[in-house]
Amino acid sequence: MKPSYRILIVDDEDNVRRMLSTAFTLSGQETFCARDGSEAIRLFTDHPPDVVLMDIRMPVLNGIEALQQMHAQHPRIPVILMTAYAEVETAVEALRCGAFDYIIKPFDLDELHIVIQRALALESMKQEISSLHKALTDSWQWGHILTTSPNMMEVCRDTAKIALSQASVLISGESGTGKELIARAIHYNSRRAAGPFIKVNCAALPESLLESELFGHEKGAFTGAQVQRRGLFERAHQGTLLLDEVGEMPLTLQAKLLRVLQEREFERLGGHQTIQVDIRIVAATNRNLAAMVEDGSFRQDVFYRLNVIHLEIPPLRERPQDIPLLANHFLQKFSAENQRDIIDIDPAALACLCAWHWPGNIRELSNVIERAVIMSTGALIFTDDLPAQLLSPPPADIDEKRSAVGEERNLKDEMKRYEKKLIIETLEHYDGNRTHCALALGISRRALMYKLQEYDICQPSRSDT
Ligand SMILES: Nc1ncnc2c1ncn2[C@@H]1O[C@H](COP(=O)(O)OP(=O)(O)OP(=O)(O)O)[C@@H](O)[C@H]1O
Ligand SMILES: [Mg+2]
């Protein structure tokens, strides 16, 4: 049996109300009746039904007026109007006012059931779509961007402001710094959040494929184009298109991109019809586009149009406070994914992580922690679980340190020195607040207290810290 629904029946004729009420009750539905528009509004407000079946011509408040009031309260509850044949024009007017459908008296009950089922099915589909959109939008939160460093926080603040505008954005930064994460932040915090977010990697496809991927093509545009295909510009309509690694886009394609950037219009390959789209373009690159413009490998006009707003994501080595925070985040993530119960990173291992220069930035850190989780056999990540290159500082760094002190020092001492320096800097940053400092370093407050003692770091004692 189909699930039951609540139906509000509104008609000024007693026998019609009775007949409909009996028929719906017998088929397992919950019914309640009103004899005019104002009684209907009262019932509708007190017990919102799943569907309304209402006569148009009634005393006190007619069906159209009642419909408008219902629509203002709950626009998603479908209202089906009943009318005598002579009133079809009024019924059409009712559709304009938001009625789901109308049915002409005298009607067949089966016909009525079909209309109601259609209304309920459409409504539940709309609800599903809107909850999917909501889930997608909700699943993007600022909390996805973890940072405690002032330079990255500034980027996040700028991103929040930029999201509200419609301007094109160029995001630059080394590989793995979080450019795509920022592009998503822009989309999901913009008025386009309910629209699509589409990413295309300009480095991943040969020129001809990239062109048809972006612009789409008509049937027969080239060998193999057996059907018409919409391109990414069209699919991103009312949303955001991320042109990833835009520095790798061939010059000829850049010329075609220019028109889309300027006019938001283009033709599909092999097509004559001009297609207009409402898209926001965000571009990302790990190359220096200004230098590429200088040497002629990137078009200046395209650069200026992409670079309306520029966001530069700092590399991880320029935000060392984020290393412990992100390392612990990835530890929890991969520990859960691999059904392991690894609770912490041993201080020496953490010091190694903090000393590394992270050329691959956050993606590299994520990979290192994933590997460590897989390699580890206990409840902690130790230096043994880290890749060998992390256990010795980069050569340039060693040379610098050697010349600075005029002698060689062992790894453990270097680590300790680095750890002490990091703790002092973080404490200073948080104005001596140990709880915040421990959080930022990704260690427990107890572990921090122990280290303060171990490294003999004196602090004015503060009751709130
Ligand atoms: N601040 C952050 N907090 C949490 N996770 C982050 C942060 N920054 C980056 N990540 C994660 O690191 C990984 C790399 O980020 P992303 O793909 O955005 O970088 P990218 O700059 O686009 O890299 P590439 O240049 O290699 O394409 C992703 O898994 C992302 O979720
Ligand atoms: Mg990327």
Side-chain angles (χ1 to χ4, degrees):
M1 190 167 157
K2 286 187 186 126
S4 66
Y5 50 83
R6 285 160 62 82
I7 179 164
L8 171 59
I9 298 163
V10 194
D11 201 301
D12 57 331
E13 283 183 54
D14 290 347
N15 56 348
V16 175
R17 272 202 319 275
R18 243 194 324 269
M19 182 273 287
L20 287 172
S21 169
T22 311
F24 282 106
T25 309
L26 282 175
S27 69
Q29 322 308 335
E30 189 183 341
T31 60
F32 48 124
C33 300
R35 74 194 68 207
D36 59 49
S38 38
E39 191 184 357
I41 296 290
R42 255 197 320 281
L43 288 172
F44 182 91
T45 311
D46 292 347
H47 309 280
D50 297 309
V51 60
V52 180
L53 182 60
M54 180 158 61
D55 192 20
I56 290 188
R57 194 177 287 180
M58 290 180 299
V60 189
L61 190 68
N62 72 37
I64 304 252
E65 290 162 334
L67 161 71
Q68 283 170 329
Q69 292 190 25
M70 288 174 178
H71 209 59
Q73 267 190 53
H74 294 289
R76 319 243 345 223
I77 298 180
V79 177
I80 297 158
L81 291 171
M82 298 180 283
T83 174
Y85 189 63
E87 289 176 291
V88 170
E89 271 176 25
T90 326
V92 172
E93 172 62 21
L95 289 185
R96 273 200 213 106
C97 295
F100 174 78
D101 206 347
Y102 65 84
I103 189 156
I104 297 169
K105 285 181 185 174
F107 47 76
D108 183 69
L109 272 179
D110 287 342
E111 187 191 348
L112 182 58
H113 279 306
I114 289 171
V115 175
I116 292 174
Q117 288 303 339
R118 206 155 42 85
L120 293 172
L122 192 77
E123 184 43 40
S124 87
M125 216 159 77
K126 278 190 195 157
Q127 259 173 23
E128 198 174 327
I129 290 171
S130 99
S131 71
L132 279 173
H133 269 313
K134 190 166 178 315
L136 258 183
T137 314
D138 284 355
S139 73
W140 203 96
Q141 296 154 0
W142 284 104
H144 291 320
I145 306 180
L146 298 175
T147 184
T148 57
S149 38
N151 48 359
M152 190 60 195
M153 281 186 191
E154 198 176 325
V155 170
C156 292
R157 271 195 296 275
D158 289 348
T159 304
K161 283 187 231 154
I162 289 164
L164 303 176
S165 81
Q166 292 300 312
S168 299
V169 185
L170 178 66
I171 306 172
S172 59
E174 289 178 13
S175 170
T177 42
K179 297 185 290 296
E180 186 175 335
L181 205 60
I182 291 290
R184 286 179 190 274
I186 293 174
H187 173 74
Y188 286 111
N189 288 282
S190 75
R191 68 162 179 79
R192 299 171 174 274
F197 173 86
I198 292 185
K199 172 183 118 165
V200 57
N201 185 339
C202 302
L205 298 171
E207 181 171 351
S208 57
L209 266 182
L210 180 60
E211 184 177 9
S212 78
E213 193 67 15
L214 285 172
F215 293 86
H217 58 73
E218 296 295 341
K219 185 178 172 184
F222 47 83
T223 328
Q226 286 161 352
V227 286
Q228 182 205 63
R229 187 156 183 262
R230 292 162 72 231
L232 297 179
F233 288 133
E234 272 177 85
R235 285 172 30 207
H237 183 56
Q238 298 191 325
T240 306
L241 180 68
L242 169 61
L243 295 173
D244 206 5
E245 307 207 30
V246 73
E248 314 307 317
M249 184 181 273
L251 279 165
T252 42
L253 212 48
Q254 288 178 29
K256 294 189 173 175
L257 173 65
L258 186 65
R259 181 168 162 227
V260 183
L261 287 171
Q262 281 182 162
E263 318 288 344
R264 297 289 190 264
E265 64 175 37
F266 61 93
E267 285 92 36
R268 295 191 194 114
L269 299 190
H272 301 294
Q273 185 201 349
T274 300
I275 295 164
Q276 294 209 311
V277 283
D278 166 25
I279 51 174
R280 179 186 210 166
I281 294 188
V282 175
T285 183
N286 54 17
R287 315 258 314 249
N288 181 343
L289 284 196
M292 289 178 73
V293 169
E294 286 289 301
D295 71 24
S297 51
F298 201 86
R299 282 181 72 116
Q300 190 177 46
D301 43 13
V302 173
F303 173 67
Y304 283 137
R305 277 178 182 81
L306 290 177
N307 197 32
V308 177
I309 294 175
H310 181 208
L311 276 175
E312 172 82 36
I313 318 286
L316 189 53
R317 65 185 166 281
E318 286 175 17
R319 36 177 162 138
Q321 301 96 315
D322 287 351
I323 297 173
L325 179 74
L326 287 163
N328 274 288
H329 161 72
F330 291 127
L331 176 72
Q332 281 164 25
K333 178 180 162 199
F334 292 119
S335 186
E337 264 180 39
N338 291 280
Q339 281 139 25
R340 298 288 311 275
D341 199 12
I342 304 174
I343 49 172
D344 211 347
I345 301 171
D346 165 71
L350 187 65
C352 283
L353 296 175
C354 291
W356 184 239
H357 63 304
W358 299 109
N361 293 289
I362 293 136
R363 179 167 298 113
E364 185 188 2
L365 176 59
S366 164
N367 292 346
V368 164
I369 301 293
E370 183 173 11
R371 174 188 184 277
V373 165
I374 293 165
M375 303 307 277
S376 137
T377 48
L380 293 180
I381 298 286
F382 290 104
T383 44
D384 287 355
D385 305 319
L386 301 178
Q389 77 267 20
L390 262 74
L391 304 184
S392 50
D397 211 17
I398 291 176
D399 287 348
E400 203 178 280
K401 281 172 187 160
R402 274 182 192 162
S403 58
V405 294
E407 62 183 38
E408 288 190 21
R409 283 192 287 197
N410 76 34
L411 179 63
K412 253 197 180 140
D413 289 345
E414 285 295 314
M415 301 290 188
K416 285 189 166 175
R417 210 170 63 87
Y418 184 83
E419 193 174 54
K420 181 174 177 181
K421 184 168 164 271
L422 188 69
I423 291 174
I424 292 172
E425 279 173 8
T426 314
L427 261 177
E428 276 171 7
H429 178 75
Y430 287 101
D431 201 21
N433 186 311
R434 294 170 200 169
T435 309
H436 286 172
C437 176
L439 264 175
L441 291 170
I443 57 176
S444 67
R445 194 172 180 281
R446 240 182 71 212
L448 177 67
M449 299 304 285
Y450 171 80
K451 282 178 190 303
L452 292 177
Q453 230 175 13
E454 184 188 354
Y455 292 131
D456 201 18
I457 301 173
C458 299
Q459 276 205 285
S461 61
R462 285 173 42 175
S463 55
D464 62 330
T465 61

